[in-house]
Amino acid sequence: MSWDHTHPRPGTLFGRDQRSCARTQNSLTTEPQGRTFAKEFWFWQFGEWVDVVVDDRLPTRDGELLFVHSAEGSEFWSALLEKAYAKVHGCYEALSGGNTIEGFEDFTGGIAEVYTLDKAPPNLFQIMARALRLGSLLGCSINITSAYETEAVTALKLVKGHAYSVTGAEELHSRGRPVQLVRLRNPWGQVEWTGPWSDGSNEWNSVSKDEKSKLNHVAEDGEFWMSYSDFIRQFSLLEICNLTPDTIMSDAVGHWNHSQFEGMWRVGSTAGGCRNYAATFSSNPQFVVRLEDVDDDPLDGQDGCTFLVGLMQKDGRRQKRLDRNLETIGFAIYEVPDQYKGRSNVHLGPDVLLRQRAVAMSSTFINTREVCNRFKLPPGEYAIVPSTFQPHKNGSFILRVFSEKQAATSALEDDIDAQIEEEEVSESDVDPHFKHLFKQIAGNDMEVSVFELVKILNNVVSHRSDIKTDGFSLETGRLIVSLLDKDESAKLGLMEFHLLWSKIQKYLEIFKNHDSDKSGTMSSHEMRGAATEAGFNINSAVLQAIVSRYADAQYAIDFDSFVGCLIKLEMLFKMFKTLESADSGKMELDMQQWLCLAIY
């Protein structure tokens, strides 16, 4: 974070949401009067660093800064930082409430994990000590049971509902026995712990002079020591923000390796919900992490690979301002089967995910901005499946993986491809009965027009009770003719109609196979598997486009839409291959080609 006093820039006090802030703070004035200077800050916002510029006018009342201020009257960086942060979120009011970890992450780009201290793991002190060596930021707090307890001071001078920072974790010897100590700081700069190992307490008389001089600095500065056992009894939560290499500038501290990915849950395609919803769970986005090297100096003495997984949903404060609740989110981790190891061009289906138990999961599904947990697993490949608790919930997220050792991480996503089988049939292969029926349908010209084709198809499907359909549209009929019309007559002859009939029979069988509830329609979540069986590999982006175009309001796909979709896919793949430049995966279109393609 930095600011520049040399480049004045006019601007509004409250950024893009000035009017709403003015309403909530209409009694405020700004000081100092006179020339305004621009200040520049950087904040981490959902995977990227955002540059924020504000002027140096600050809200005051009776000549005093109204919000964040420093004990030094001439120090304004914290108030300016707060103003820039308010601008990121729209107004000062948006900063009301929240968690310490939000500030940790937004100011550093790190990933935060939370420990409930009454359920602390046995090696938590070692985790804290290693985190401090890695340059991590640590905070803690005491829960409150009601608003009346906010900022209440206990008999031992700890403040409830107050954010403390943890600045040290050391082990020393007292009367020949090891004692684990934790150093904390009250940001108020005063009101310090008065229990054992506090400043000037008798416990310090039982340690060597060297250790005492190294650790025990008596001052009313808000910083104090306490035993680790008292720490986990007195405090409720510990939050550790692990920093990325681009945040830590010093080579004196260790570095986490990290990866991050953006993803979306979209109703009808990738919003599958948790494992409780077996029919849709595998639709969720998937990511793979490959763990190869075990930890150096493992904290628990057991070999394994330590890594953190953080799942963050976007725009939490914006949702709060719009009076919308955050989604309940979490994730599950599965071992990748041998046949899929080393691959990232695959999307694991229910045949994989529902036939095994998760090897690890987020500690809970909860409606917070981020869920983060620490895991230790044997070397191997693991699929991470982030989800909302219930299916059919739209949302955008960031998935981050931090590992002690180098770990390859990537999205699991199918390559887009098609295996289209061109049926070779001569007129002699066509059944005589089929020829007779075709002649009756087509008439003397022995060709079927688009209008005749739609009438024929609708007559056939109207007599079937096992599928539901609104009828084939003229648009679908034209797609079919465009795909199969080899002689460019805009009609289908005997051989072309025979190919169409074979396709429809094949598609009908696939459709019924994936109509799992025998409703006569197919859930849009089953479209990926059905398309694969028909010879089309599609990824999540294409699936979302298909759902938007072909699914109804209940995200069901009827038979005519299913056939129309597959015909359109086949046509698009063939067009692409025709126009592709030397197997490059790209194509160039002139204006005529583009217009013709778009009109199709």
Side-chain angles (χ1 to χ4, degrees):
M1 294 169 292
S2 64
W3 52 92
D4 186 352
H5 290 272
T6 63
H7 296 87
R9 168 177 162 178
T12 60
L13 175 57
F14 297 110
R16 63 180 179 273
D17 212 28
Q18 182 180 11
R19 288 177 295 175
S20 65
C21 288
R23 285 198 298 271
T24 59
Q25 300 172 4
N26 54 14
S27 63
L28 304 184
T29 62
T30 57
E31 289 187 357
Q33 300 296 326
R35 190 176 181 186
T36 301
F37 294 92
K39 312 294 183 291
E40 183 181 15
F41 295 87
W42 290 83
F43 297 99
W44 186 88
Q45 290 288 284
F46 308 113
E48 62 182 10
W49 288 98
V50 177
D51 184 10
V52 181
V53 178
V54 295
D55 59 35
D56 58 359
R57 292 177 176 267
L58 298 171
T60 65
R61 178 179 290 145
D62 299 328
E64 299 290 336
L65 288 172
L66 189 61
F67 302 124
V68 169
H69 56 277
S70 172
E72 297 293 332
S74 59
E75 192 173 72
F76 294 99
W77 68 267
S78 56
L80 291 166
L81 173 66
E82 180 189 40
K83 178 176 179 176
Y85 197 45
K87 184 175 180 179
V88 167
H89 294 291
C91 61
Y92 278 94
E93 185 181 16
L95 304 188
S96 176
N99 299 315
T100 306
I101 58 175
E102 289 188 36
F104 273 164
E105 293 181 336
D106 289 352
F107 295 163
T108 69
I111 188 171
E113 49 185 322
V114 180
Y115 292 91
T116 303
L117 293 179
D118 61 0
K119 300 175 182 177
N123 61 341
L124 181 59
F125 180 81
Q126 288 77 19
I127 291 174
M128 293 170 64
R130 177 169 288 186
L132 289 164
R133 290 196 300 272
L134 288 169
S136 302
L137 303 177
L138 282 71
C140 58
S141 60
I142 302 172
N143 287 344
I144 58 174
T145 56
S146 70
Y148 296 104
E149 287 190 321
T150 303
E151 306 295 356
V153 180
T154 69
L156 293 174
K157 300 297 183 181
L158 295 177
V159 185
K160 293 185 175 181
H162 192 60
Y164 285 81
S165 55
V166 179
T167 60
E170 300 284 347
E171 185 173 287
L172 50 70
H173 289 80
S174 172
R175 298 188 175 91
R177 293 185 302 173
V179 178
Q180 295 173 336
L181 297 183
V182 178
R183 186 175 63 205
L184 296 91
R185 184 178 184 276
N186 181 348
W188 283 354
Q190 52 188 351
V191 187
E192 295 185 10
W193 161 255
T194 58
W197 299 101
S198 59
D199 288 359
S201 68
N202 292 331
E203 285 77 13
W204 289 104
N205 296 327
S206 62
V207 302
S208 68
K209 289 183 178 180
D210 288 342
E211 288 183 315
K212 184 176 180 179
S213 62
K214 177 183 175 183
L215 301 179
N216 187 28
H217 302 286
V218 179
E220 189 63 21
D221 56 0
E223 195 166 54
F224 57 87
W225 290 94
M226 64 191 310
S227 69
Y228 172 72
S229 57
D230 278 334
F231 170 72
I232 60 174
R233 278 196 299 266
Q234 297 290 334
F235 285 85
S236 309
L237 291 175
L238 171 69
E239 297 161 327
I240 302 177
C241 182
N242 304 284
L243 305 184
T244 60
D246 63 337
T247 305
I248 303 173
M249 305 303 294
S250 172
D251 292 331
V253 295
H255 295 157
W256 288 88
N257 298 287
H258 76 292
S259 303
Q260 70 178 31
F261 303 91
E262 294 193 34
M264 294 186 295
W265 298 296
R266 288 294 177 264
V267 176
S269 56
T270 57
C274 71
R275 173 69 179 261
N276 295 350
Y277 301 90
T280 56
F281 175 64
S282 63
S283 302
N284 287 298
Q286 301 171 7
F287 303 86
V288 64
V289 56
R290 298 178 177 90
L291 306 174
E292 297 180 358
D293 300 323
V294 298
D295 301 341
D296 295 328
D297 188 24
L299 298 177
D300 57 4
Q302 301 294 319
D303 284 340
C305 307
T306 296
F307 64 106
L308 308 175
V309 178
L311 174 64
M312 177 184 291
Q313 54 186 316
K314 288 187 173 183
D315 301 325
R317 289 186 179 269
R318 179 171 175 269
Q319 299 290 357
K320 179 181 176 183
R321 285 171 51 213
L322 296 174
D323 201 26
R324 297 174 186 166
N325 294 326
L326 291 170
E327 297 297 341
T328 302
I329 60 172
F331 56 86
I333 302 176
Y334 293 85
E335 189 170 5
V336 175
D338 290 342
Q339 65 267 34
Y340 296 117
K341 285 181 178 177
R343 297 175 57 187
S344 57
N345 61 338
V346 63
H347 185 92
L348 302 180
D351 58 324
V352 174
L353 297 181
L354 300 183
R355 291 182 180 178
Q356 62 170 304
R357 294 175 61 88
V359 296
M361 298 186 69
S362 56
S363 58
T364 184
F365 275 75
I366 189 169
N367 60 337
T368 57
R369 185 175 83 156
E370 184 175 39
V371 174
C372 179
N373 288 108
R374 176 184 294 250
F375 303 101
K376 187 173 185 179
L377 293 175
E381 292 191 23
Y382 300 93
I384 305 171
V385 184
S387 71
T388 56
F389 182 77
Q390 294 181 323
H392 318 307
K393 301 288 185 180
N394 283 324
S396 298
F397 65 84
I398 297 288
L399 182 80
R400 296 188 289 166
V401 179
F402 279 47
S403 57
E404 287 203 6
K405 290 300 189 74
Q406 199 72 35
T409 311
S410 60
L412 277 176
E413 190 60 271
D414 284 317
D415 288 338
I416 299 175
D417 194 15
Q419 302 296 326
I420 301 170
E421 297 180 5
E422 296 289 355
E423 188 178 356
E424 296 291 338
V425 181
S426 65
E427 188 171 343
S428 60
D429 296 326
V430 179
D431 182 76
H433 181 62
F434 186 89
K435 286 183 184 179
H436 178 70
L437 290 176
F438 180 76
K439 185 174 182 179
Q440 287 183 319
I441 293 168
N444 292 330
D445 65 352
M446 289 296 285
E447 286 192 314
V448 174
S449 70
V450 169
F451 306 98
E452 291 171 325
L453 174 63
V454 171
K455 185 177 180 180
I456 294 166
L457 293 176
N458 285 335
N459 183 51
V460 170
V461 296
S462 66
H463 291 89
R464 298 193 66 104
S465 59
D466 55 346
I467 57 174
K468 291 182 180 178
T469 175
D470 293 329
F472 285 84
S473 66
L474 195 59
E475 179 187 356
T476 300
R478 284 176 170 144
L479 278 173
I480 292 172
V481 171
S482 296
L483 176 65
L484 298 174
D485 178 23
K486 305 296 185 183
D487 58 6
E488 298 184 357
S489 65
K491 294 182 179 181
L492 299 183
L494 172 63
M495 302 309 301
E496 294 162 342
F497 191 82
H498 186 272
L499 289 173
L500 169 63
W501 200 249
S502 297
K503 281 184 183 295
I504 289 179
Q505 293 298 314
K506 174 185 174 183
Y507 291 165
L508 177 61
E509 183 179 352
I510 294 171
F511 183 84
K512 293 178 68 175
N513 287 343
H514 290 270
D515 176 17
S516 55
D517 60 357
K518 308 304 178 186
S519 64
T521 62
M522 189 174 67
S523 165
S524 60
H525 284 277
E526 296 168 317
M527 189 64 198
R528 187 195 294 264
T532 300
E533 189 174 341
F536 304 100
N537 284 342
I538 56 175
N539 64 12
S540 296
V542 176
L543 179 61
Q544 288 169 20
I546 288 173
V547 171
S548 298
R549 174 65 179 81
Y550 293 100
D552 64 16
Q554 285 71 46
Y555 297 96
I557 296 175
D558 59 18
F559 182 64
D560 58 280
S561 295
F562 179 68
V563 172
C565 175
L566 296 185
I567 293 291
K568 186 68 172 282
L569 280 174
E570 183 172 346
M571 177 181 291
L572 291 172
F573 271 107
K574 286 183 174 178
M575 284 182 173
F576 184 88
K577 287 300 180 183
T578 300
L579 298 169
E580 184 182 18
S581 302
D583 293 326
S584 64
K586 299 178 181 179
M587 66 178 182
E588 292 184 6
L589 302 177
D590 60 29
M591 182 62 73
Q592 176 180 299
Q593 290 171 323
W594 163 244
L595 290 175
C596 291
L597 181 59
I599 288 172
Y600 270 132

